[in-house]
Amino acid sequence: MQALIIGYVWPEPASSAAGRRMIQLIEFLLYNEYIVTFSTPASRTPFIEDLELMGIKTVPIAVNDPGFDNFIVNLKPSLVMFDRFMMEEQFGWRVAKVCPDAIRILDTEDLHFLRKSRELRFSGKSATIDSDLAKREIASIYRCDLSLIISEVEMELLKGKYDVPASILFYLPFLYDKINSEDANLPEFSSRKDFIFIGNLRHAPNADAVIFLKEKIWPLVHKKLPEQEIHVYGAYPSVKIDRLHDPGTGFHIKGRASNAEEVVKNSRVSLVPLRFGAGLKGKLIEAMICGTPSVTTTIGAEGIPGELPWNGRITDDPEEFAVAAVELYNSKNKWEIARSNGFKIINSRFSREIFYPVLTSHLEEVLQGLEVHREQNFTGAMLMHHRLKSTYYLSKYIETKNRLEKISKS
């Protein structure tokens, strides 16, 4: 079977949780013996994953280009996955028009409207969760046959507040192998040193967290542990972030990590004071996998532990945050309990072994009963009908405009 993924960007798993999420979805499709093609209108960067080494064919595409129709007709995919709702807006109507029998899947990554409304409220601006962005994103969810939702919190929001049918939603968190602590071969407490923050620094919640860490939390930690350092790793730091580099107080802006797993494994404690955001925070889950306890906020931990104890401490108060960081750093007993808690969270809530068979079975069920599945989603059919009509004429206008501009330049 052929599967087509339409990406928002080329995946950079070493730079962002979104990139790692995309690789995990590709691995799932390969596990189910799909022949996978990855396409995106985005430009390549020097740090993208070499998908060809995974056996993935890559094909660049363009928006408002009728050539996409010919491409997908020739490919004949039985499954098309959109990476974030913006790609469904651009290409979903074309897929529905020329390849109507393909199941259309949306991976939201996180709910963009939720993240944006939280960011606006945090900055003191007027914001409502029922924004135009929410209407766009939820309409995209309705137009797809199935949407993969990364957080249980976001699942409940969609079902509870917006009455989105459960039949078109599927909870799928990050997916990892189970951890056998005895075979993990991870550095122990005494072999580790210093604190760490790691995350894509172009991402607004991460940039804010680093500034908050430098101004409000690290001075309190540094006062108690003057010999220790914090290393801030992340791709695409701004000039503002670079200026936070302050070796005199042990605050180091390190930039992109050449091997993120290594730097996390060798750090003793991860500090992640996120103050807004949505979805699941990959940096915290990966710290658990590396056996690195963490201190974070309620936003940071949202959707991760379920009813299980955190692998460290959750607090929104800067002073409590700093106290917890120092205690974890100094106490081998507390550190080892926290590390064990992290392993339990990964094994019970983020295991491929749990989610692969459930998602495989659900996809087969939807594929086999696709017509009935769509009949039960009248709102989605209605939205797709109007999308086909309105977007078709707008796209034709843009295509004609682009063609005339090329002619005038030749």
Side-chain angles (χ1 to χ4, degrees):
M1 295 186 293
Q2 292 280 350
L4 171 65
I5 298 174
I6 302 178
Y8 181 65
V9 293
W10 294 96
E12 291 186 23
S15 302
S16 70
R20 291 188 288 278
R21 165 75 161 185
M22 177 51 64
I23 296 302
Q24 290 175 0
L25 293 175
I26 290 172
E27 289 172 344
F28 169 79
L29 292 173
L30 294 175
Y31 172 83
N32 280 277
E33 299 183 343
Y34 279 90
I35 300 169
V36 181
T37 300
F38 185 93
S39 296
T40 176
S43 300
R44 291 177 180 264
T45 73
F47 306 104
I48 63 175
E49 184 78 357
D50 191 341
L51 297 178
E52 285 81 4
L53 288 179
M54 298 176 66
I56 309 302
K57 183 180 180 181
T58 61
V59 179
I61 53 177
V63 298
N64 301 305
D65 183 353
F68 176 82
D69 296 0
N70 296 328
F71 159 62
I72 197 170
V73 164
N74 292 329
L75 186 65
K76 298 182 178 66
S78 56
L79 180 152
V80 178
M81 182 181 293
F82 305 101
D83 170 27
R84 287 165 264 207
F85 80 94
M86 298 81 84
M87 292 298 95
E88 188 281 331
E89 285 185 330
Q90 290 286 351
F91 296 97
W93 70 275
R94 291 186 180 274
V95 173
K97 179 173 176 286
V98 302
C99 204
D101 294 330
I103 182 173
R104 300 186 299 274
I105 298 175
L106 171 64
D107 182 47
T108 58
E109 292 286 355
D110 61 26
L111 292 179
H112 292 64
F113 73 85
L114 177 62
R115 172 159 43 88
K116 189 62 179 179
S117 67
R118 285 174 170 176
E119 181 179 354
L120 289 171
R121 285 199 298 271
F122 173 76
S123 62
K125 297 178 182 177
S126 176
T128 173
I129 201 170
D130 298 323
S131 61
D132 288 345
L133 186 61
K135 293 166 188 172
R136 286 174 57 196
E137 191 163 13
I138 293 172
S140 180
I141 288 171
Y142 267 105
R143 285 192 297 266
C144 289
D145 299 308
L146 195 65
S147 288
L148 306 178
I149 310 300
I150 202 168
S151 165
E152 291 163 322
V153 172
E154 296 181 2
M155 281 284 287
E156 292 308 311
L157 178 67
L158 291 170
K159 292 190 295 183
K161 178 174 175 56
Y162 296 104
D163 295 319
V164 178
S167 60
I168 62 172
L169 303 174
F170 189 90
Y171 167 59
L172 189 72
F174 291 113
L175 303 173
Y176 293 97
D177 295 327
K178 283 192 172 183
I179 300 170
N180 183 331
S181 58
E182 295 180 359
D183 298 333
N185 195 28
L186 295 170
E188 296 297 328
F189 176 85
S190 60
S191 301
R192 298 171 181 241
K193 62 177 293 189
D194 296 327
F195 297 87
I196 190 170
F197 176 97
I198 189 165
N200 188 328
L201 296 173
R202 187 164 54 190
H203 190 50
N206 290 339
D208 173 78
V210 172
I211 295 169
F212 183 52
L213 187 58
K214 175 66 165 65
E215 294 179 350
K216 300 296 184 182
I217 296 171
W218 184 248
L220 302 175
V221 177
H222 182 64
K223 185 176 180 179
K224 295 290 185 181
L225 299 172
E227 301 301 317
Q228 310 312 321
E229 300 177 346
I230 182 165
H231 298 158
V232 176
Y233 289 92
Y236 309 110
S238 65
V239 173
K240 185 176 182 179
I241 295 295
D242 280 334
R243 286 175 178 166
L244 298 177
H245 183 64
D246 186 8
T249 64
F251 198 93
H252 296 262
I253 303 297
K254 308 287 282 190
R256 183 186 294 272
S258 58
N259 188 324
E261 182 180 345
E262 280 301 309
V263 296
V264 176
K265 282 198 308 186
N266 287 290
S267 301
R268 189 175 290 180
V269 179
S270 175
L271 303 182
V272 188
L274 293 165
R275 296 193 285 182
F276 57 90
L280 296 179
K281 314 310 179 293
K283 61 181 71 62
L284 287 162
I285 295 171
E286 285 162 355
M288 295 178 188
I289 293 169
C290 291
T292 307
S294 62
V295 186
T296 191
T297 57
T298 51
I299 283 289
E302 184 178 78
I304 295 177
E307 300 299 319
L308 297 173
W310 187 251
N311 75 321
R313 181 76 181 277
I314 301 169
T315 177
D316 296 321
D317 180 80
E319 292 186 2
E320 290 181 4
F321 198 106
V323 168
V326 172
E327 287 180 350
L328 268 178
Y329 196 90
N330 284 336
S331 172
K332 180 180 178 182
N333 182 56
K334 290 181 178 180
W335 188 91
E336 289 178 343
I337 291 171
R339 182 176 68 162
S340 178
N341 289 343
F343 293 157
K344 291 173 184 175
I345 290 171
I346 296 300
N347 290 345
S348 63
R349 292 183 53 77
F350 299 98
S351 167
R352 299 179 204 268
E353 185 179 306
I354 295 171
F355 286 98
Y356 266 32
V358 180
L359 180 56
T360 298
S361 175
H362 192 68
L363 280 179
E364 289 175 355
E365 183 180 329
V366 174
L367 278 166
Q368 290 172 6
L370 191 55
E371 185 176 349
V372 174
H373 180 80
R374 288 175 176 170
E375 287 174 355
Q376 294 172 346
N377 180 17
F378 176 79
T379 301
M382 177 179 64
L383 289 168
M384 180 58 76
H385 171 79
H386 287 286
R387 168 64 75 179
L388 280 167
K389 296 293 183 183
S390 61
T391 310
Y392 173 80
Y393 290 109
L394 176 61
S395 182
K396 286 298 180 184
Y397 164 76
I398 296 172
E399 288 172 20
T400 303
K401 179 173 175 289
N402 291 342
R403 188 168 60 251
L404 292 174
E405 286 179 354
K406 287 181 180 179
I407 292 172
S408 66
K409 291 177 181 178
S410 61

